[in-house]
Amino acid sequence: MKDETAISAAIRPILKRLNSFSADISASAVMSRDGHSLATAIGDGVDSERLGAMCATLLSLGEKASHELKRGNLKMVLIHGEDGYVVLLRIAEKAVLTVVSLPSAHLGMMLIEAKKTVADIITLKVL
């Protein structure tokens, strides 16, 4: 993977744009497949290293379940809790986009913006 500082500098503005799309989006991050934080736009109280580890585990379990259940390659993991959503979207084979939102978020619009964000990150060619 390329220089982590350059990766973060390139991706962070895209994450900030995603977060500004809706006041209901409270955090977004790009993590490597092994859970290392590459770029974040998160508020206080969120440990980016812990978030990365959890996201890597969720992605791995999701991939195993998708293959075991013959659903093909994993595209997304969605968690819907009482206090909001956590969405994980693959960024090609190299990374994952995580979006954290409040329960009032319009899920469909958030997913559309998250997919656009993934496309914008891929276009950068920094991963």
Side-chain angles (χ1 to χ4, degrees), residues 29-52:
V30 173
M31 309 289 178
S32 67
R33 304 259 319 168
D34 63 357
H36 183 72
S37 177
L38 300 175
T40 62
I42 57 178
D44 295 334
V46 178
D47 181 342
S48 64
E49 294 304 316
R50 188 170 186 181
L51 177 64

Side-chain angles (χ1 to χ4, degrees), residues 6-75:
I7 291 170
S8 180
I11 295 174
R12 198 156 192 274
I14 294 173
L15 296 179
K16 285 183 174 184
R17 187 179 70 219
L18 172 62
N19 288 15
S20 70
F21 169 75
S22 169
D24 292 327
I25 297 175
S26 54
S28 61
V30 173
M31 309 289 178
S32 67
R33 304 259 319 168
D34 63 357
H36 183 72
S37 177
L38 300 175
T40 62
I42 57 178
D44 295 334
V46 178
D47 181 342
S48 64
E49 294 304 316
R50 188 170 186 181
L51 177 64
M54 288 186 289
C55 290
T57 301
L58 286 167
L59 189 66
S60 177
L61 289 171
E63 287 175 336
K64 288 177 184 173
S66 186
H67 286 289
E68 184 70 26
L69 298 170
K70 298 180 181 13
R71 300 295 103 191
N73 290 330
L74 181 72
K75 291 186 175 190

